[in-house]
Structures are given as structure tokens and as C-alpha cells.
Amino acid sequence: AQTVTQSQPEMSVQEAETVTLSCTYDTSESDYYLFWYKQPPSRQMILVIRQEAYKQQNATENRFSVNFQKAAKSFSLKISDSQLGDAAMYFCALISNSNSGYALNFGKGTSLLVTP
Amino acid sequence: DTEVTQTPKHLVMGMTNKKSLKCEQHMGHRAMYWYKQKAKKPPELMFVYSYEKLSINESVPSRFSPECPNSSLLNLHLHALQPEDSALYLCASSPLNNEKLFFGSGTQLSVL
């Protein structure tokens, strides 16, 4: 069984500041991928960043970066220079290779509030 | 075209109605998914289709009936739903050799 745990139901950050969202996971698979998805009030699921488990280098996408600690099964998201448009629900997700397609396992989410 | 299109965006139905949700993608993806999401909760996987065949059914009640008529289209047929089935229904697709899922914007379903 695979589990994804986000221990912060809500976080708040001031505009232009940096915030880190936490995520831990558990899987017995050796081949897997980790994601952060953003869901704004429109409820569209938007992929923020992706990390392949076999890669040691942490993924970065502009202001978004991850701290991937494979041994600790930790996958945190850092948002730098926060903007009002970053306010959303953020879901950490895990996917492992399967012959039947890829089934995402989501954490419970962290609601991020950005204040001016 | 990198979109997954879901129709309708909103649906209100009675418990005795029969309705269908539609999902379409033209990215050549061979895996398609239905997720159900309640407010302030993460999406929950319902069904996975790979090569137009049902490969995962997460013990979904039979009042939800998926159908994949071709590689671009995924339907979810609804019959005799309950008020607790009210939720956002998200469709997604992915290439089978690539783990990246593309999501549609969802159908907000209300069952009265």
C-alpha cells in the first residue's frame, strides 16, 4: 500500500516571502514519481512540479523547488517570492509504475493563504 | 492540443435520473481516469482505462458505469445516484509510458 501524508492543513505566507509545504510518503516500489499539484478556487488541477525517484537532483520550476529526501521519504515544496496567485490548495501525490496505467495517490492537501 | 475537455461543467440531477459525463482528449493518451473529489478533500480514484479496457475499478458502486468507446473519449454513466454522490468529478489522461497526468476542469455534480 502507498500512503502520502501532508501534516499541515493550512499555511500562510506574506507576499514576496518564502514558504515550505511538507509531505512524507510511504511505498514499497523502487520506481515511482512524486508530484505537487495546485488546485485554485477554479478547481482545475495544475501540475506544479515533478520528481523522479531515481534522480538525486531536486527538481525546480521557476519559483518552485523541492527538497527530496529519498531515505527519509520526504518531499517538501518550497515556494519563493510568493505571489497572490499562489493561493490555492496544494496536493502532494505519488505514482508508481503499473501495467494498468498510473494511479495517483494524493495527500489530504495544504491550503495556502497568501497575504499582501 | 494539450487539453482534457469535460462536459458538462455543472450538472444537477434527481435521484431517479440517468445522465452521463463526458471526457475527451486528443493527445493520443492511452490511459484515462475518473476521479471523484468532495469539497476540501483530495481526489479519489474511481476508474482507470488503459487501451480502452477497464484496468482499475476502486470498488465503485454500480450506479456509476464507465465507458471508453474509443481512445479519445471516456464517459461516466450515472443512474439512481444518492445525494452523497454530489461532488466534483475529474477526468484525466496520460500516456502509458509517461507518468504525467493531464486533468480536465471537472464536472460539478449535484444530486437532489
Side-chain angles (χ1 to χ4, degrees):
Chain A
Q2 299 179 336
T3 59
V4 178
T5 302
Q6 293 179 250
S7 57
Q8 305 155 316
E10 291 180 352
M11 291 284 284
S12 181
V13 63
Q14 204 157 11
E15 207 174 358
E17 297 296 310
T18 296
V19 64
T20 298
L21 308 184
S22 301
C23 173
T24 58
Y25 64 93
D26 193 19
T27 180
S28 57
E29 302 285 342
S30 58
D31 181 17
Y32 59 91
Y33 302 84
L34 293 159
F35 305 83
W36 280 97
Y37 277 90
K38 168 185 176 181
Q39 191 176 39
S42 68
R43 304 197 78 179
Q44 172 83 52
M45 292 289 283
I46 302 165
L47 178 63
V48 175
I49 201 165
R50 180 184 76 181
Q51 175 80 43
E52 294 93 333
Y54 61 86
K55 286 189 177 179
Q56 292 186 341
Q57 187 172 8
N58 290 325
T60 60
E61 287 287 342
N62 301 313
R63 298 182 294 107
F64 299 88
S65 61
V66 298
N67 183 2
F68 175 46
Q69 301 290 327
K70 190 172 183 178
K73 295 185 177 176
S74 170
F75 182 62
S76 61
L77 174 70
K78 185 171 84 171
I79 306 174
S80 305
D81 186 25
S82 297
Q83 300 174 359
L84 294 176
D86 295 333
M89 182 71 85
Y90 286 80
F91 292 101
C92 180
L94 167 71
I95 212 168
S96 60
N97 197 353
S98 161
N99 291 331
S100 302
Y102 295 87
L104 271 173
N105 289 284
F106 288 94
K108 290 187 175 181
T110 296
S111 179
L112 179 65
L113 175 67
V114 182
T115 57
Chain B
D1 185 357
T2 58
E3 280 192 352
V4 176
T5 304
Q6 288 189 246
T7 54
K9 292 196 181 306
H10 301 275
L11 178 63
V12 179
M13 60 186 291
M15 289 190 285
T16 58
N17 292 158
K18 286 186 183 180
K19 296 286 184 183
S20 296
L21 309 185
K22 180 180 171 182
C23 174
E24 200 163 3
Q25 57 88 14
H26 296 286
M27 295 178 278
H29 292 170
R30 303 310 297 270
M32 296 187 76
Y33 311 77
W34 282 114
Y35 281 85
K36 173 183 177 180
Q37 186 180 23
K38 301 283 260 185
K40 298 188 186 300
K41 298 288 186 183
E44 298 174 356
L45 182 66
M46 299 175 73
F47 303 103
V48 180
Y49 273 83
S50 55
Y51 291 102
E52 296 89 70
K53 288 185 168 37
L54 183 64
S55 57
I56 297 178
N57 176 343
E58 291 290 322
S59 303
V60 179
S62 59
R63 58 185 183 268
F64 295 91
S65 175
E67 178 197 22
C68 190
N70 59 57
S71 59
S72 300
L73 191 56
L74 183 67
N75 298 319
L76 186 62
H77 303 298
L78 315 172
H79 174 54
L81 294 193
Q82 303 297 310
E84 59 264 28
D85 296 322
S86 298
L88 180 71
Y89 288 83
L90 290 164
C91 174
S93 71
S94 72
L96 275 179
N97 61 352
N98 183 320
E99 69 295 343
K100 185 175 178 182
L101 266 67
F102 291 77
F103 281 88
S105 55
T107 294
Q108 184 65 53
L109 174 67
S110 296
V111 182
L112 305 178

